[in-house]
Amino acid sequence: MGHERSIWWKIPGVIVWMAALLVLAIDFTSTAGTVAALCGVAAAFYAATRTAAMPVRLGRLWLMSLGALGVIALLGYLMRENATLAKVFGSPAVYTFTETASWGIGTLLLLAPLLISASRYASFLSVEAALLVGVFASAFAAHRDGSVHRPYFVTDWLLERNIDPLPFFLMAGAILGGMLIVWLVSRRTAKRSLFDPLLLVAMILGLLLFLPDGKIRQLNAWAAAGNGEKEQKQKPQGGGRGGSDQKMKEQKQEQNQNQDPNPSNGSGGKSFPVAVVNLHDDYNPPYGTFYFRQDALSTWNGKRLVRDASGKLDTDVGIPFPAEAVDVPLRDRADTVQQAGRKRVAHRMKTTVALMTPHSKPFALVDAARFEPAPNPDPKRFERAYKAESIVLDTDFRDLLERAAGSDKWTPEIWTHYTQMPEDPRYRKIAEEARAALPAHLRNVTLAQALAVKYWLDKNTTYNLNVPRADDESDPVEKFLFGDRNGYCVHLAHSAAYLFRSLGLPARVSVGYAVDARQRGSGSAVLIRNGDAHAWPEVYVRGLGWVALDITPEKVATPPQQDKADPELQRMLGEMARNTPASPKEENPPPGDGDVRKAFLEALWALSKMLAPLVATTIVALYLMKVWRRLEPRFCSESQLPVAAYRAALDNLSDLGLARSFGASREEFAMAVPSPEFAQLTDAHMRHSLGAGAPSWTRAKYLELTRAVSAKAAESVPWWRRAIGIANPLSWWRVS
Amino acid sequence: MATYPQAPVAVHPLAGPYDTAQVLRRRLRAAVKGRDEVIDLIIVALLADGHVLLEDYPGSGKTTLAKALGESVTDAEGQHIAAFRRVQFTPDLLPSDVSGVSVFDVSTSRFEFRPGPIFAHVLLADEINRTSPKVQSAMLEAMAEKQVTVDNHTYPLDAFFFVIATQNPRDLAGTYPLPVAQLDRFLFKINMDYIGREAEIDVLATRKARRSAPDEPLVTRDAIVEARVAMEEHVHVDPRIQTCLVDAARNLRAHKKVLQGLSTRSLVLMIPALQALALLQGRDYVTSKDIEYLAPYVFGHRLVVAPGAGDAKAVVMEGLKGPLEVLTRSTMAGAVAPAVPQTPPPIPPQNGNWG
């Protein structure tokens, strides 16, 4: 004991704690706050080393730390709320200062006492370990399957250099874990206690209980997807896929931040179903893909395309979930009546959509014409359901080439709106280059020009998910199109839209899901998975409205979602959405399929039902013991009288809140009790126990003394205190 | 001292010794005001056949106390031993000044031993730390062995022989502080503080009355010596008491503030002191309270604590607490001696030097 280890042993601890604070702080505070928290860790270690030798009382230390923390929090709050300070220094400066101060000092004030405590008592070591594990676990809980992508600056830096972040994070995790072990073992002086594993188990249960609701739901949806397609779950995933998928989600989230949450519910890299669409008629899109539009981006804000804020344009999207049947206001409706001698252009088709994850707005097969509410077929499995009627095209874009672009009902402002783009001659140059590839007779056909642009993009770009995210603040196109031309749907869709616009074609980017039409197979259900989230360019075709003209690069660096949706799962979910059970056994969903938290609470309830009789029996036993100890002097043997009577008196006093403190002698306690009878009892007891023998009193005398003790002592105690004492089944427990 | 009601002495063999102790107590209390605790401790030391070191300032009543003690004792057999002697120790004092000297008697042509002041029932050794080590060691031999050796001839001291030594806690210049080994000869080291206000007023008020001898009867030397024997025989010391003492000593030896722990001898000396205290309080058994009360006086000066660790008495109480609690709890288990070995409380990890 007392062997002071070298300072080098502390370094793993510093690193582990710094990593923990980094993970913890980066999501909550500014860069300055994070750096301050890291400095706080270093300061806490320094302070703990310096004060470890001082005989400071732990209780006092914690009290002081928590008090100081409260003061700091209060000061920070006051400073942030103070208008004058913000005026004088500017609110960013005040914010940075308060964040720095509260994170730095807060870390110091909490970590230093913890380290000091842990250096004295092994149980605090467990607390420390549990905290560290909790911090890392909570960070990873949001990004399952090892798809860690925070902090962004690390991920982006790695991606820009074509390094897969996953192995990097795994290695970092392994190093941190090793350091954690070294750090904990290097300080463990006392023997390992049973407390440690118990604490960890409690920690894990607590995590499960207090995880945000959405996380559990995701887990649930994921479990539902995995149920019945085990082989798919076990299928090894491509190295970077998990992260990449995640990345795309993230990107979408970012993209829609100022407009709309993304259509899918972004989460882990594992593919899970987000919705299932039942087609009421057999339909195969001529262009081979089911496009489900949720939102559209058409306003050029100087940097990129965003959703139209005026609400006057793009009226075909942005409709809330229907409470009653609503018709979608469309400027141009495709002709659904078959003209004599001509091919049918489009027809109406009804679909039912059942969502499995929360969505902010409904989506429908392009083009949505009407939304109707629908009952949720299975609230346990589906978020909500609605019916959508769409006007679906029967013709490919190639068949529309003779049509004009834009609408004749449009005002010049609307034309400007849909053709606005960066004032960069390079777009026009690329567009002209694409146009030049057209055969001469098509060069001046308006929509053929769009097709030419598409072909040019197909040829000259590479589909690659491992590129930096396109964020709200930057142009997703410029670096892509005039750079290495490596990108994914967002880059492609924006580039196409810009190039279309540069040719004077009205274009926009639509956001939603795209599912390969072949996936439907022979069934009527189309399963939409999180990986199907997509953005695609659209051109306005006169008389038809917006028509998708998606870019499909010939070169693919990272293939898009490649694992096929399980047709069995698709069929099953489709049937569930239609509320027709697939098989009798499905009426009782298999265990593990339900809500995780609910299952946990049910388990807890079952456990408590088992424990309740045990607890009740224990309480009854405690009361019986209490009563027996009072009655013992009446029935015990003569030789036991001094002990039994004294014990009964002690129990009575304990009920009144009078108990001997640790280390005090019996005689001392006797003096503190306002009853001379108790002193006599004490004396008799001591003579019996330590002396040659107790006085030869009769049992009646002992009983009388015992009664007198409680009567006299009770005089000075309020009635409620006595009542509490009598009701307390454990009052005798500590009597000694 | 304890004020909890005391049971009357029921056991006959101790009735005499108890009376003796009470008479002595009353006589001393009449002579010295406001020093009840010191008086009790001195009686305990007297009954336990030990000696007392008083650490106090001049004029605190120690001479009065020692003299009153000496005057309370009569010599039943008419021996020529003085009841009370006082020696003021100075640096130039010689061993023979204390023990006595052989003088050549011309009439008999033989050396005749003239006993020194040490041949008394009660000896007040004033400022014992002012004299040279050789006088101190002569004194301490007499205290330990109850004999004096002069010219290679050993003269036994009376069995009663009781020393009250004093030293001034301040004013240490030019003194020879007693080493721990010699402090070990004293059963108690008592630090005396100024007496209370009421007691001091009482001292002034009873100034005249205290000059005349109190009405109480005298105590014979034989009564004291008999009391010592009876006490050892009849005051019950439970095995758990001894266990507690040993555990406390082991605790203290392992204590991180302690440089040198308790000797086994100090534990042996503790037993009669405990018995004497029990007797004085009218009990025929020793309890944990006795240990708690006497431990600081008996163990305090035998313990060498680390510099800066504070008061040795506080350290003693710290080490005593656990074993005492075990002892106290054991009484509920009946009169059976507990076989549970007491492990010392966990010592917090030593992160640095206390000091």
Side-chain angles (χ1 to χ4, degrees), chain A residues 55 660 663 666 687 689-690, chain B residues 236 240 285 325 328 331 354:
Chain A
R660 187 177 64 87
R666 297 206 182 285
R687 277 164 71 187
S689 174
L690 290 176
Chain B
H236 184 75
R240 282 170 289 179
Y285 61 94
E325 178 68 17
T328 305
T331 64
W354 295 87

Side-chain angles (χ1 to χ4, degrees), chain A residues 128-143:
Chain A
E128 198 188 323
L131 276 180
L132 282 170
V133 169
V135 165
F136 287 119
S138 67
F140 280 90
H143 324 290

Side-chain angles (χ1 to χ4, degrees), chain B residues 102-115:
Chain B
S102 290
V103 181
F104 185 74
D105 190 343
V106 185
S107 58
T108 58
S109 298
R110 293 182 69 174
F111 278 100
E112 193 188 316
F113 181 65
R114 292 279 179 86

Side-chain angles (χ1 to χ4, degrees), chain A residues 573-704:
Chain A
L573 285 172
E575 275 165 4
M576 281 179 190
R578 274 201 301 274
N579 207 3
T580 49
S583 60
K585 69 169 181 184
E586 280 305 311
E587 281 170 35
N588 293 316
D593 199 22
D595 193 307
V596 172
R597 171 147 54 184
K598 209 171 146 200
F600 178 75
L601 289 176
E602 270 167 13
L604 214 62
W605 174 239
L607 198 69
S608 64
K609 268 197 285 193
M610 278 195 306
L611 284 178
L614 195 68
V615 171
T617 319
T618 312
I619 290 177
V620 168
L622 288 173
Y623 274 120
L624 282 178
M625 192 67 194
K626 184 169 171 167
V627 170
W628 164 246
R629 282 166 65 118
R630 299 300 162 81
L631 296 178
E632 202 183 351
R634 290 170 194 275
F635 306 107
C636 69
S637 67
E638 288 281 336
S639 62
Q640 276 295 306
L641 254 179
V643 175
Y646 181 67
R647 183 185 290 145
L650 278 184
D651 282 5
N652 275 329
L653 292 173
S654 174
D655 270 3
L656 300 170
L658 294 167
R660 187 177 64 87
S661 54
F662 182 90
S665 62
R666 297 206 182 285
E667 292 86 349
E668 227 172 293
F669 176 52
M671 284 193 293
V673 174
S675 156
E677 289 83 359
F678 184 64
Q680 288 184 43
L681 268 181
T682 305
D683 188 58
H685 169 72
M686 294 304 276
R687 277 164 71 187
H688 167 76
S689 174
L690 290 176
S696 51
W697 295 340
T698 59
R699 189 184 294 271
K701 162 119 185 166
Y702 274 112
L703 291 176
E704 189 201 320

Side-chain angles (χ1 to χ4, degrees), chain A residues 154-208:
Chain A
V154 177
T155 335
D156 283 352
W157 188 85
L158 289 169
L159 284 174
E160 273 168 16
R161 279 150 190 79
N162 262 335
I163 301 168
D164 188 0
L166 186 67
F168 172 80
F169 278 116
L170 285 180
M171 201 169 69
I175 292 173
L176 281 180
M179 282 182 172
L180 179 64
I181 291 167
V182 169
W183 168 234
L184 292 179
V185 169
S186 75
R187 292 185 306 156
R188 183 167 286 281
T189 46
K191 62 176 179 244
R192 196 168 288 269
S193 70
L194 187 67
F195 193 56
D196 302 16
L198 280 180
L199 201 77
L200 277 177
V201 168
M203 226 16 240
I204 290 163
L205 288 183
L207 258 176
L208 202 61

Side-chain angles (χ1 to χ4, degrees), chain B residues 136-201:
Chain B
Q136 284 175 359
S137 61
M139 258 301 290
L140 295 165
E141 184 218 334
M143 284 162 62
E145 316 290 331
K146 292 216 172 168
Q147 61 185 26
V148 173
T149 306
V150 177
D151 293 344
N152 211 18
H153 190 275
T154 301
Y155 303 92
L157 296 174
D158 188 62
F160 187 99
F161 181 63
F162 181 64
V163 174
I164 300 177
T166 74
Q167 61 181 18
N168 194 334
R170 285 160 216 99
D171 194 14
L172 287 175
T175 62
Y176 303 89
L178 294 178
V180 177
Q182 296 194 353
L183 280 175
D184 204 23
R185 306 290 159 89
F186 291 100
L187 179 60
F188 296 148
K189 181 181 168 196
I190 306 167
N191 290 75
M192 288 163 70
D193 211 341
Y194 289 97
I195 57 176
R197 180 171 176 272
E198 304 304 322
E200 208 154 18
I201 292 171

